[in-house]
Amino acid sequence: MQSASASRSPAPSFAPADASVAPSLAQFDPELAGFIDDEAVRQRETVRLIASENYASRAVREASASLLANKYSEGYPGARYYEGQQNIDKVERLAIARAKSLFGAEHVNVQPHSGSPANLAVYLAFLQPGDPVLALDLAHGGHLTHGARVSLTGKHWNVQHYGLSRETGRLDYDAIRAQARELQPRLIIAGHTAYPRHQDFAAFRSIADEVGAILMVDMAHFAGLVAGGVHPSPLPYADVVTTTTHKSLRGPRGAMILCREAHAARIDKAVFPGLQGGPHNAITAAIAVCMKEATTPEFARYAQACVSNAAALADSLLEHGFELVTGGTDNHLVLVDLRSKGLGGKPVAQALDRAGLVANYNAVPWDTRPPRDPSGLRLGSPAMSARGFGEAEFRQIGAWIASAVDSGLDEAVLARIAGEVRELCVRYPMP
Ligand code: DSN
């Protein structure tokens, strides 16, 4: 009897015999290829501090650029609307099984194209237009899709916001409970994009239970830390958890929704056909790779480094006289309040970019400046932790930021830092 592999036809070769038949990107479109090469240099030679960015591995990038993108697959494994799903179904089932195992989830949908559609799918699954929702204010670390006025979520649902306490500078769960009693929300959203502390998911569960709300946690920012075992998991507490896969998780640009089995059918229906058509199958494959990478000891070490490096950066900034929202960090991000330095976040972020330190300006709680020119600077540790930076390098980053700010953003100082940044970065190869 023939073995399974012996019965297969010889492995096909996809390589064209003659490059003129199928030119490479660089051959066909050198202008565009040049832009990509320039971006590779930028990513290699700068210190990337945007808290939501990272470096995906070669394996993740190979999967996400694969020919699986050629296939349409509306529906779910075993129940598609198009034929020819023999391989795609295996890919999606593998991604789902690995995500369930990694996070201990009962059900996972790996099809949302990114974080905003994942969050929208939750609204669609559980709410009617106009229903009350309680979520973290954008200026206090929430996300646009947590009901910001400019977002669809703020226009179609009655979203009220909770924020940090003026007394403690942290979330105040008694105040959130009082707001929930008043509003009687159908949905409560926890999670954040710029809160440098752990959130108390048990407290959110208790508040949701008291008012009969669904509890959603948007863990996009800290999913990699949860996977690496260095951050509390929301899974035991939330009805539904959303996450992107490209932030601290280091996967492709995609998203997932993890939920209890009881909610599986309505979540799946909300993603497809509620919001999306065909899933991005190459991204699904890359999510499967990312889920496998996230189980490795190397990933756990990286996640630990994200936390210790952010703490080292926070300490360095405090020693240099900066004020930090909540006074420090428990996770991968630091939010600097620049008001005491008399500078706005935008000019500082733009100047740091010229120095090779790439971050983003950000609102701080009770910001008196407008969102397009706010008072804060958000810094994150994931990307440079993935490159192998340790606490010493992150302390150096704090010293560079202090030099730049204390010089009044002097161009000569920025140029000197840019040279030192480049020298340091070339010693740490990109993943
Ligand atoms: N743009 C992301 C961030 O930077 O936090 C949120 O989607």
Side-chain angles (χ1 to χ4, degrees), residues 298-340:
E298 292 78 12
F299 191 93
R301 280 196 289 276
Y302 144 80
Q304 178 58 56
C306 286
V307 174
S308 53
N309 287 340
L313 175 60
D315 285 348
S316 169
L317 290 166
L318 289 169
E319 283 163 23
H320 284 96
F322 285 90
E323 282 185 13
L324 307 182
V325 172
T326 79
T329 179
D330 295 331
N331 56 24
H332 64 298
L333 69 87
V334 174
L335 187 55
V336 186
D337 186 338
L338 289 162
R339 285 179 286 195
S340 63

Side-chain angles (χ1 to χ4, degrees), residues 4-5 40 45 52 90 107 139 159 169 177 312 317-318 326 378 413:
S5 58
E45 295 189 355
S52 48
K90 289 182 197 163
H107 178 77
V159 185
R177 188 182 297 274
L317 290 166
L318 289 169
T326 79
R378 190 183 64 163
V413 173

Side-chain angles (χ1 to χ4, degrees), residues 50 52 143 193 221 247 378:
I50 293 178
S52 48
H143 184 250
T193 66
H221 260 262
K247 295 189 175 84
R378 190 183 64 163

Side-chain angles (χ1 to χ4, degrees), residues 193-429:
T193 66
Y195 183 60
R197 299 293 178 177
H198 294 162
Q199 294 186 336
D200 185 344
F201 300 128
F204 275 114
R205 177 75 265 161
S206 150
I207 296 166
D209 284 344
E210 184 179 327
V211 299
I214 294 287
L215 175 62
M216 165 185 145
V217 177
D218 179 344
M219 68 166 181
H221 260 262
F222 51 87
L225 307 188
V226 173
V230 296
H231 188 289
S233 170
L235 267 294
Y237 304 99
D239 297 289
V240 53
V241 174
T242 59
T243 184
T244 50
T245 49
H246 49 273
K247 295 189 175 84
S248 54
L249 261 178
R250 295 175 63 184
R253 286 197 84 101
M256 304 191 292
I257 305 175
L258 307 89
C259 67
R260 299 189 174 169
E261 191 58 47
H263 305 310
R266 62 165 78 206
I267 286 292
D268 285 353
K269 202 169 147 206
V271 174
F272 172 84
L275 275 178
Q276 296 183 177
H280 292 176
N281 295 315
I283 296 299
T284 305
I287 289 174
V289 177
C290 160
M291 294 297 102
K292 184 172 181 178
E293 287 178 348
T295 62
T296 60
E298 292 78 12
F299 191 93
R301 280 196 289 276
Y302 144 80
Q304 178 58 56
C306 286
V307 174
S308 53
N309 287 340
L313 175 60
D315 285 348
S316 169
L317 290 166
L318 289 169
E319 283 163 23
H320 284 96
F322 285 90
E323 282 185 13
L324 307 182
V325 172
T326 79
T329 179
D330 295 331
N331 56 24
H332 64 298
L333 69 87
V334 174
L335 187 55
V336 186
D337 186 338
L338 289 162
R339 285 179 286 195
S340 63
K341 296 281 185 185
L343 288 167
K346 187 172 184 174
V348 170
Q350 290 175 335
L352 291 178
D353 189 45
R354 295 197 289 282
L357 300 165
V358 188
N360 67 278
Y361 55 88
N362 211 95
V364 294
W366 309 289
D367 210 326
T368 45
R369 300 170 70 109
R372 289 171 71 92
D373 184 19
S375 304
L377 179 72
R378 190 183 64 163
L379 306 166
S381 60
M384 300 318 288
S385 299
R387 259 177 101 167
F389 272 30
E391 293 177 34
E393 288 74 24
F394 272 86
R395 294 187 74 82
Q396 176 62 62
I397 292 167
W400 278 327
I401 293 172
S403 296
V405 168
D406 292 344
S407 76
L409 311 180
D410 180 84
E411 290 303 330
V413 173
L414 300 178
R416 190 243 319 145
I417 296 171
E420 292 172 8
V421 163
R422 212 173 298 114
E423 266 175 41
L424 181 67
C425 284
V426 293
R427 305 213 314 263
Y428 291 84

Side-chain angles (χ1 to χ4, degrees), residues 42 126 143 169 171 380 413:
R42 191 195 68 82
F126 293 105
H143 184 250
L171 288 178
V413 173

